[in-house]
Amino acid sequence: MRMKFPIVALALEIITIILFAVFVVYDDGKGHGHGHDPAHTSTVMYFPHIGLNLSMFQDVHVMIFIGFGFLMTFLKRYGFSSVGVNLLLAAFGLQWGLLMQGLWHLEDGKIKVNILKIINADFSTATVLISFGAVLGKTSPVQLLIMTIMEITIFSINEHLVANVLEANDVGASMIIHAFGAYFGLAVARVLYRPGLKNGHDNDGSVYHSDLFAMIGTVFLWMFWPSFNSAIAEPGFTQLTAVINTYLSLAACVLSAYAISSLVEHRGKLDMVHIQNATLAGGVAVGTCADMNIGPFGAMLIGLVAGIVSTLGFKYLTPILASKLGIQDTCGVHNLHGMPGILGGLAGIVAVALGKKKGGDAAMQAAALASSLGFALVGGVVTGLIMKLPFWGQPPDQNCYDDSIYWEVPEEEEEHEESLAHADHSKNKAEV
Amino acid sequence: MRMKFPIVALALEIITIILFAVFVVYDDGKGHGHGHDPAHTSTVMYFPHIGLNLSMFQDVHVMIFIGFGFLMTFLKRYGFSSVGVNLLLAAFGLQWGLLMQGLWHLEDGKIKVNILKIINADFSTATVLISFGAVLGKTSPVQLLIMTIMEITIFSINEHLVANVLEANDVGASMIIHAFGAYFGLAVARVLYRPGLKNGHDNDGSVYHSDLFAMIGTVFLWMFWPSFNSAIAEPGFTQLTAVINTYLSLAACVLSAYAISSLVEHRGKLDMVHIQNATLAGGVAVGTCADMNIGPFGAMLIGLVAGIVSTLGFKYLTPILASKLGIQDTCGVHNLHGMPGILGGLAGIVAVALGKKKGGDAAMQAAALASSLGFALVGGVVTGLIMKLPFWGQPPDQNCYDDSIYWEVPEEEEEHEESLAHADHSKNKAEV
Amino acid sequence: MRMKFPIVALALEIITIILFAVFVVYDDGKGHGHGHDPAHTSTVMYFPHIGLNLSMFQDVHVMIFIGFGFLMTFLKRYGFSSVGVNLLLAAFGLQWGLLMQGLWHLEDGKIKVNILKIINADFSTATVLISFGAVLGKTSPVQLLIMTIMEITIFSINEHLVANVLEANDVGASMIIHAFGAYFGLAVARVLYRPGLKNGHDNDGSVYHSDLFAMIGTVFLWMFWPSFNSAIAEPGFTQLTAVINTYLSLAACVLSAYAISSLVEHRGKLDMVHIQNATLAGGVAVGTCADMNIGPFGAMLIGLVAGIVSTLGFKYLTPILASKLGIQDTCGVHNLHGMPGILGGLAGIVAVALGKKKGGDAAMQAAALASSLGFALVGGVVTGLIMKLPFWGQPPDQNCYDDSIYWEVPEEEEEHEESLAHADHSKNKAEV
């Protein structure tokens, strides 16, 4: 680890900068054909929605860095890695995503970067952060950087296929981000299966404060999801529809997630794992048809069902996946992104079939869902096999879910207890 | 609890979805008469302030879900409920608020939902979250869902009366949200008075980290209050005035809250309860006249006074309310929302009387304040009586302020201490 | 302390309100000469970028209050002061900054406050919050209020000189905020040198959760830096360039900060201090040339170098500054703001010399950097000498880095330990 990680990280960044030097320029707005004077440097501001684009960009940015980062801090001793490695992967991923997505849309051999491009670059990192949730606590930073390169590259191919070849609708990316990221991550987790964790791990759980940190992530994701699902929608009525559908789907989802959590838990109590995750399933599931004319109640129905499916998944399906299929899904991304993502894809097929989207084609929607799942599973297996190579510093079982293998962890709290124990003339070193 | 909560939550959501199916459609902008082609689906984007509306919506959203949610996490063992039940109530409340507010403004028998409507729906939940602060730690989720239905329904009647019948000004809602929410909550708290908590409760206090979590709520509320007070203001100079007045009132309020906190506390120390709450009183108190021409220094004077009143209230009035009037106000909403809300209403009367608002009428302002207080107190008492019915799962005194009655709480920290104690050959079970 | 702090705080606020009453009015947009009807109160909304301005204002606001506030909560027992005193200083500073900056731009003897003015007022507080980081844990609130007045006054002179006399470019304020704030703070820290802290202090360190709280600050600063560096840029292409350059510089900086942190630490581990701070250096260093045509890869190169310089500074330079030069820099602002700020200034000189900014003058850029450093060092020494006067309640060495000298700190956690110790028949009072 000593030299591998710094070399890989620096090398990747330097290669990326060279690629940017060759391929990436600012978008001067001249190619957009809006009829403004192309020499006018203020052109872009004349678009009425530039303020909106920038504010939505910042909202999406918060979801990627605070939302995903803190959502994973629920583990008691893995908060540094959750929020810190999230930052690392997303910071690299957005650069890589800008390149990979841009290669499909070269103008004069250049990638012209603008606000919509950086929103899309942020989006591409979301796939990696979702997959990160599946393998959280069991992978090294170097392995995860490799996953980032592979996953964003494959994502960009599938995205191009879905958006430009199949011309399918997926404005909030239920299929191409959520389902894709989840099944990619689950495939990786399957390949990296650890029999040694079959009976759990002491650090694979939360403490009171770590659950509260995770709620910071949950609530920021929940709040800004309307921006996520509408950021690249067609400006105007369509975009506002995406905001409203997402707002309502998430609200309905909260009620069903709370209800089912209480229903299935011991003595009707609520389970923080469900609240932190299943309340967000409505945002995932409404993604594909967020900008369609499904009616406010249609969005709410989707959210209601997503909250139920997701909570039941956490309760009943995750343990089975681990014990029967060897898929150890740390954050339960199958329940938050996988099943709700498929639900979103199916809802999109139905909505398009019912004529809720002008020009939509239900068969292409179905093909888009199949493509996303196919690329995810095959790509995830291949990526998992590469990550499994023995020289990437994968942590041994006993060091899983523990920051101290990759981070300098402050000794204070434990020292404090030690000195307390010391005051009691007890030297039990196992404690500290 | 086992079955009651899931049934109530699911039933409410399903009823709400049915009501949405009957009443709620997207606002296609055709009814706004701005002279654009009504068939043009992008109509709404042509309003120059749509980007502004969406960014203010997201700011208000953050205040409701992060601001109120984390502000209440100051209690040492009630963080899950604070941020979690806040999410539940607000998610249901915004749906219910959209219906209740919309019923007064039907177009062709339909509620046409747009960005301003969802901002207002978020606003309606603020009343409930304020009242939640008064009864925090002493009520069950089912009781609180009932309070949500009742309070938002009554709020919508009063809001309609104030805005459309009296035509009073209350752009930042000092009267119709803050004073209303506070006195409604205090009335409920009075009805639910618990003699058993007269001498305090072990869990009714903070620990170091819980106070820091609460500061996340405080600071997000503080920062985005300019958006709260200006979100529904008339676009242009009036709206910018509301931003600036709120910005300055809050800044002045911080200084007076800190000064008075230090002045009244033991050896000049600052008290976190004051800092977490009284620094926000300037945002409440400037609400009614935020969009009036009161001058920047006028806004600062209001903030200065609000900070003083609020801090003194926490120090001297809250204990008296509890001991003499039987009003146990967990978060001190009387000091943050009650008195500053009335101060805001009074400032509005004076400002209108001095001609600071074109077309304003001081008598109508006074009537609006009286109406808000009247609806709050009567509505709160009625709601409290319903909540007091014995089958809603109200927690017994000894389980107050404790997440573990409604949540699965991780055992780790306590186990850790237990094993520490164990290592010292001490079996004092009271500790763990 | 008992009376000094409340009197100083209240007196400052009252004086400020009086100055506002004399000097400050709302900007009605009439003086901007955009050719609209000057009587039209909605004038300002007709600017196409008003929504953008307000959303960027809120982003900057988050950086000032959440970003800086939580970044400093890394200390184990100084979180109340970090986030609380940050709020106090920024709330006062923005008022003072509005006055000091406005005095250079009077119209008809008045300061006309608008959104750009309040963004600039927020900016002026950033200098103080940076300097606060250098003296964190070793100064009283009264001392810090004095520093706020002095620093913002001097900052405003230098800013006027740089922007209006030298007409230098510093859109993201690498020189006039970051380098200025850092060297001002370091000069103050030098004057306030404490030999008694030469060998460290028990409380001068983090615990696990305090490091996570600090990451909230880090990530919010990181995310909203594009708004910081572009908020006052020329609307249009130039402003978008500033967003994109900052976005990319920060992303590249993360990779180099992580790589170097791992490289220089024991067994290749990552150090939270580096991650919390050095990942932000790219935002600082790209500030001066954020709106210049340096190319996306140019921005990334700046970020890459900044991350390296900053991390190495934390590892090797900070200990030397403390031991050899008597500069005890609590938060390492020299590494986050000082060196990257100078790097930004130098990059600006080079970029202007290479013609990357129309109308720029490299000599003026160099003069601006020199002026910023000169004002900072001289101003900091003078301010430090005033702060050193013995009647401002500076804490004794043993109470440094400890909230309990200025705050009521909840006793619960310690009581808990005490009772635990008690159960073990140990009365070691040093523990509690």
Side-chain angles (χ1 to χ4, degrees):
Chain A
M1 180 71 184
R2 167 97 204 163
M3 296 302 297
K4 265 177 211 158
F5 172 73
I7 290 172
V8 169
L10 271 187
L12 284 178
E13 185 57 42
I14 289 166
I15 292 166
T16 304
I17 293 180
I18 294 170
L19 290 171
F20 267 69
V22 175
F23 285 114
V24 183
V25 296
Y26 307 118
D27 184 358
D28 55 9
K30 291 180 189 174
H32 294 296
H34 281 264
H36 294 297
D37 172 12
H40 197 299
T41 55
S42 289
T43 303
V44 212
M45 285 309 285
Y46 282 52
F47 301 174
H49 47 281
I50 190 69
L52 182 58
N53 279 349
L54 269 167
S55 106
M56 284 192 163
F57 157 64
Q58 289 289 9
D59 293 347
V60 169
H61 222 39
V62 171
M63 294 178 73
I64 296 296
F65 290 91
I66 284 283
F68 282 105
F70 277 90
L71 182 61
M72 294 187 278
T73 59
F74 73 97
L75 289 173
K76 70 183 81 160
R77 299 301 291 174
Y78 211 63
F80 290 10
S81 299
S82 297
V83 70
V85 175
N86 186 86
L87 173 60
L88 174 70
L89 302 183
F92 176 66
L94 63 88
Q95 300 174 63
W96 194 250
L98 219 150
L99 286 172
M100 289 301 111
Q101 295 180 305
L103 288 177
W104 299 99
H105 306 282
L106 294 177
E107 299 175 59
D108 308 327
K110 296 289 181 187
I111 297 166
K112 297 196 166 185
V113 57
N114 57 28
I115 302 303
L116 283 177
K117 289 256 174 64
I118 65 178
I119 293 175
N120 274 313
D122 267 30
F123 280 166
S124 76
T125 71
T127 59
V128 179
L129 304 178
I130 291 165
S131 301
F132 182 29
V135 298
L136 189 75
K138 301 168 296 192
T139 39
S140 72
V142 174
Q143 286 182 300
L144 291 166
L145 283 173
I146 291 166
M147 187 174 85
T148 304
I149 296 173
M150 295 289 297
E151 183 162 3
I152 288 180
T153 305
I154 298 166
F155 158 78
S156 300
I157 298 169
N158 181 56
E159 184 197 36
H160 178 70
L161 190 66
V162 167
N164 300 114
V165 179
L166 302 177
E167 296 187 339
N169 294 287
D170 198 14
V171 71
S174 303
M175 300 183 287
I176 64 172
I177 291 180
H178 294 288
F180 177 88
Y183 288 98
F184 192 103
L186 294 169
V188 172
R190 179 64 193 83
V191 175
L192 301 182
Y193 175 62
R194 290 170 180 266
L197 299 181
K198 206 189 267 180
N199 301 314
H201 188 291
D202 276 354
N203 284 335
D204 184 13
S206 65
V207 291
Y208 194 71
H209 283 148
S210 70
D211 270 328
L212 277 177
F213 278 113
M215 282 302 284
I216 297 174
T218 298
V219 179
F220 272 104
L221 284 170
W222 195 91
M223 292 186 303
F224 288 148
W225 217 295
S227 290
F228 190 95
N229 278 358
S230 68
I232 58 167
E234 190 192 337
F237 179 72
T238 305
Q239 189 165 36
L240 295 177
T241 301
V243 170
I244 291 164
N245 281 339
T246 309
Y247 176 82
L248 290 173
S249 175
L250 282 161
C253 178
V254 167
L255 274 284
S256 62
Y258 273 77
I260 304 301
S261 179
S262 169
L263 194 68
V264 299
E265 281 299 313
H266 181 58
R267 286 188 295 170
K269 291 188 180 185
L270 298 163
D271 187 323
M272 255 296 164
V273 172
H274 306 160
I275 303 312
Q276 285 159 2
N277 293 280
T279 53
L280 300 168
V284 173
V286 84
T288 300
C289 41
D291 66 344
M292 300 183 191
N293 190 22
I294 55 174
F297 81 98
M300 293 160 80
L301 270 180
I302 291 173
L304 183 88
V305 173
I308 294 170
V309 168
S310 183
T311 310
L312 292 176
F314 275 101
K315 183 69 183 176
Y316 301 110
L317 200 53
T318 295
I320 293 174
L321 289 184
S323 61
K324 305 288 183 206
L325 300 183
I327 301 171
Q328 295 158 326
D329 177 5
T330 310
C331 296
V333 301
H334 187 239
N335 311 304
L336 170 48
H337 302 279
M339 291 189 295
I342 290 181
L343 179 61
L346 296 175
I349 296 170
V350 172
V352 165
L354 293 174
K356 301 301 185 188
K357 181 74 183 177
K358 215 186 290 178
D361 179 333
M364 292 298 120
Q365 293 297 123
L369 179 57
S371 168
S372 300
L373 295 176
F375 272 98
L377 292 171
V378 175
V381 167
V382 172
T383 302
L385 290 171
I386 297 173
M387 291 167 70
K388 209 178 180 176
L389 296 175
F391 39 84
W392 305 127
Q394 194 173 349
D397 286 355
Q398 71 270 25
N399 296 111
C400 281
Y401 314 110
D402 189 346
D403 279 333
S404 64
I405 185 168
Y406 301 119
W407 296 82
E408 302 282 349
V409 173
E411 297 296 324
E412 177 58 20
E413 285 173 319
E414 299 178 16
E415 271 175 20
H416 197 84
E417 282 155 14
E418 180 174 33
S419 63
L420 187 66
H422 182 76
D424 299 329
H425 309 290
S426 161
K427 312 278 189 200
N428 190 325
K429 286 295 173 194
E431 268 312 301
V432 295
Chain B
M1 182 68 185
R2 167 98 204 163
M3 296 303 297
K4 266 178 209 157
F5 172 75
I7 290 171
V8 169
L10 270 187
L12 284 177
E13 186 57 43
I14 289 165
I15 292 167
T16 304
I17 293 179
I18 294 169
L19 290 170
F20 267 68
V22 175
F23 284 113
V24 183
V25 295
Y26 307 118
D27 184 358
D28 54 9
K30 292 181 190 173
H32 293 295
H34 281 263
H36 295 298
D37 172 11
H40 197 300
T41 55
S42 289
T43 302
V44 211
M45 285 308 286
Y46 282 33
F47 301 173
H49 46 282
I50 190 69
L52 184 56
N53 280 350
L54 267 168
S55 106
M56 286 192 162
F57 157 65
Q58 288 290 11
D59 293 348
V60 169
H61 221 40
V62 172
M63 294 178 73
I64 297 297
F65 290 91
I66 285 285
F68 282 104
F70 276 90
L71 183 60
M72 295 187 279
T73 58
F74 72 98
L75 289 173
K76 70 183 82 161
R77 299 302 291 175
Y78 211 63
F80 290 11
S81 298
S82 298
V83 70
V85 175
N86 186 85
L87 173 60
L88 174 69
L89 300 184
F92 176 65
L94 63 87
Q95 300 173 64
W96 194 251
L98 219 151
L99 285 172
M100 289 301 111
Q101 295 180 306
L103 288 177
W104 300 99
H105 306 282
L106 294 178
E107 299 174 59
D108 310 327
K110 295 291 180 186
I111 298 167
K112 295 195 167 185
V113 58
N114 57 28
I115 303 302
L116 283 177
K117 289 256 174 67
I118 66 178
I119 292 175
N120 274 313
D122 267 29
F123 280 167
S124 76
T125 71
T127 59
V128 178
L129 304 178
I130 291 166
S131 302
F132 181 31
V135 298
L136 189 75
K138 300 167 298 192
T139 38
S140 73
V142 174
Q143 284 182 301
L144 292 166
L145 282 173
I146 292 167
M147 187 175 85
T148 304
I149 297 174
M150 294 289 298
E151 183 162 4
I152 288 181
T153 306
I154 297 166
F155 158 79
S156 300
I157 298 169
N158 181 57
E159 183 197 35
H160 178 69
L161 190 66
V162 166
N164 299 113
V165 178
L166 303 177
E167 295 187 341
N169 293 287
D170 198 14
V171 71
S174 304
M175 300 183 287
I176 63 173
I177 291 179
H178 294 287
F180 177 89
Y183 289 99
F184 191 103
L186 295 168
V188 171
R190 179 65 192 83
V191 175
L192 301 182
Y193 175 62
R194 289 171 180 265
L197 299 182
K198 204 189 269 180
N199 301 315
H201 188 292
D202 276 355
N203 284 335
D204 184 12
S206 65
V207 291
Y208 194 72
H209 283 148
S210 70
D211 270 328
L212 276 177
F213 278 113
M215 283 302 284
I216 297 174
T218 298
V219 178
F220 271 105
L221 284 170
W222 195 92
M223 294 186 302
F224 287 148
W225 216 294
S227 290
F228 191 93
N229 279 357
S230 68
I232 58 167
E234 191 193 337
F237 180 72
T238 305
Q239 189 165 36
L240 294 177
T241 301
V243 170
I244 291 165
N245 281 338
T246 309
Y247 176 81
L248 291 172
S249 175
L250 283 161
C253 177
V254 167
L255 274 284
S256 62
Y258 272 77
I260 305 301
S261 179
S262 168
L263 194 67
V264 299
E265 281 299 315
H266 181 57
R267 286 187 293 170
K269 291 188 181 185
L270 297 163
D271 187 324
M272 255 296 165
V273 172
H274 307 161
I275 303 311
Q276 284 158 3
N277 292 280
T279 53
L280 300 168
V284 173
V286 84
T288 299
C289 41
D291 65 345
M292 300 183 189
N293 190 22
I294 54 175
F297 80 99
M300 292 159 81
L301 270 180
I302 290 173
L304 183 87
V305 173
I308 294 170
V309 168
S310 183
T311 311
L312 293 176
F314 275 102
K315 182 71 182 176
Y316 300 110
L317 201 53
T318 295
I320 293 174
L321 290 184
S323 61
K324 304 290 183 204
L325 300 184
I327 301 170
Q328 295 158 326
D329 177 5
T330 309
C331 295
V333 301
H334 187 239
N335 311 303
L336 170 47
H337 301 279
M339 291 190 295
I342 290 181
L343 178 62
L346 296 174
I349 297 170
V350 172
V352 165
L354 294 174
K356 302 299 186 190
K357 181 74 184 178
K358 215 186 289 177
D361 180 333
M364 290 300 120
Q365 293 296 124
L369 180 56
S371 167
S372 300
L373 295 177
F375 271 98
L377 291 171
V378 175
V381 167
V382 172
T383 303
L385 290 171
I386 297 172
M387 290 167 70
K388 209 178 180 177
L389 296 176
F391 39 83
W392 305 127
Q394 195 174 349
D397 286 356
Q398 70 270 24
N399 295 112
C400 281
Y401 314 110
D402 189 345
D403 278 333
S404 65
I405 185 168
Y406 300 120
W407 296 82
E408 302 281 350
V409 173
E411 297 296 324
E412 177 56 20
E413 286 172 319
E414 300 179 16
E415 270 175 21
H416 196 84
E417 282 154 13
E418 180 173 32
S419 62
L420 187 67
H422 182 77
D424 299 327
H425 309 289
S426 160
K427 312 279 189 197
N428 190 323
K429 286 294 173 196
E431 269 311 301
V432 293
Chain C
M1 182 69 183
R2 164 99 204 161
M3 297 303 296
K4 265 177 211 159
F5 172 73
I7 290 172
V8 169
L10 269 187
L12 284 178
E13 186 56 43
I14 289 166
I15 292 167
T16 303
I17 292 179
I18 294 169
L19 290 171
F20 266 69
V22 176
F23 285 113
V24 184
V25 296
Y26 307 117
D27 183 359
D28 55 9
K30 292 182 190 173
H32 293 294
H34 281 263
H36 294 299
D37 172 11
H40 196 299
T41 55
S42 289
T43 303
V44 212
M45 284 309 285
Y46 283 40
F47 302 173
H49 46 282
I50 190 67
L52 183 56
N53 280 349
L54 268 168
S55 106
M56 285 193 162
F57 156 65
Q58 288 289 10
D59 292 347
V60 170
H61 221 39
V62 172
M63 293 178 73
I64 297 297
F65 290 92
I66 284 283
F68 282 105
F70 277 90
L71 183 60
M72 295 187 278
T73 58
F74 73 98
L75 289 173
K76 70 184 83 161
R77 300 301 291 175
Y78 210 62
F80 290 11
S81 298
S82 297
V83 70
V85 176
N86 186 85
L87 173 60
L88 174 69
L89 301 184
F92 176 66
L94 63 88
Q95 301 173 64
W96 194 250
L98 218 150
L99 286 171
M100 290 300 111
Q101 295 180 306
L103 288 177
W104 299 98
H105 305 282
L106 294 177
E107 299 174 60
D108 309 327
K110 296 290 182 187
I111 298 166
K112 296 195 166 185
V113 58
N114 57 28
I115 302 302
L116 283 178
K117 289 256 174 65
I118 66 177
I119 292 175
N120 274 311
D122 267 29
F123 280 166
S124 75
T125 70
T127 61
V128 179
L129 305 178
I130 291 166
S131 301
F132 181 31
V135 298
L136 189 74
K138 301 168 297 193
T139 39
S140 72
V142 174
Q143 286 182 299
L144 292 166
L145 282 173
I146 292 166
M147 187 174 86
T148 304
I149 296 174
M150 295 289 298
E151 183 162 2
I152 287 180
T153 306
I154 297 166
F155 158 78
S156 299
I157 298 169
N158 181 57
E159 184 198 35
H160 178 70
L161 190 66
V162 166
N164 300 114
V165 179
L166 302 176
E167 295 187 340
N169 294 287
D170 198 15
V171 71
S174 304
M175 300 183 287
I176 64 174
I177 291 179
H178 294 288
F180 177 89
Y183 288 98
F184 192 103
L186 294 168
V188 171
R190 180 64 193 83
V191 176
L192 301 183
Y193 176 61
R194 289 170 180 265
L197 299 183
K198 205 188 269 180
N199 300 314
H201 188 293
D202 276 354
N203 284 335
D204 184 13
S206 65
V207 291
Y208 194 72
H209 283 147
S210 70
D211 270 328
L212 276 178
F213 278 114
M215 283 302 285
I216 298 174
T218 297
V219 179
F220 272 104
L221 284 170
W222 196 92
M223 293 186 303
F224 287 148
W225 216 295
S227 290
F228 190 95
N229 279 357
S230 69
I232 58 168
E234 190 192 337
F237 179 72
T238 306
Q239 189 165 36
L240 295 177
T241 301
V243 170
I244 290 164
N245 281 338
T246 309
Y247 176 81
L248 290 173
S249 175
L250 282 161
C253 179
V254 167
L255 274 283
S256 63
Y258 272 77
I260 305 301
S261 179
S262 169
L263 194 67
V264 300
E265 282 298 315
H266 181 58
R267 285 188 293 171
K269 291 187 181 185
L270 298 163
D271 187 325
M272 256 295 166
V273 172
H274 306 160
I275 303 312
Q276 284 159 1
N277 292 280
T279 52
L280 300 168
V284 174
V286 85
T288 300
C289 41
D291 65 344
M292 300 184 190
N293 189 21
I294 56 175
F297 80 98
M300 292 159 82
L301 271 180
I302 290 173
L304 183 87
V305 173
I308 294 170
V309 168
S310 183
T311 310
L312 292 175
F314 275 101
K315 183 70 183 177
Y316 300 111
L317 201 53
T318 295
I320 294 175
L321 289 184
S323 61
K324 305 290 183 203
L325 300 183
I327 300 171
Q328 295 158 326
D329 177 6
T330 309
C331 295
V333 300
H334 186 239
N335 311 304
L336 170 47
H337 302 280
M339 291 190 295
I342 290 181
L343 179 62
L346 297 176
I349 296 170
V350 172
V352 166
L354 293 174
K356 301 300 186 190
K357 180 75 184 177
K358 216 185 291 179
D361 180 333
M364 291 299 119
Q365 293 297 123
L369 180 56
S371 168
S372 300
L373 295 177
F375 272 98
L377 291 171
V378 175
V381 167
V382 172
T383 303
L385 290 170
I386 296 173
M387 290 167 71
K388 209 178 180 175
L389 296 175
F391 39 82
W392 304 128
Q394 194 173 350
D397 285 356
Q398 70 271 24
N399 296 111
C400 281
Y401 313 111
D402 189 345
D403 279 333
S404 64
I405 185 169
Y406 301 119
W407 295 82
E408 303 281 350
V409 173
E411 298 296 324
E412 177 57 18
E413 285 172 320
E414 300 179 17
E415 270 175 21
H416 197 85
E417 281 156 14
E418 180 172 32
S419 63
L420 188 66
H422 182 76
D424 300 327
H425 309 290
S426 161
K427 312 277 188 198
N428 190 324
K429 286 295 174 195
E431 269 312 302
V432 294

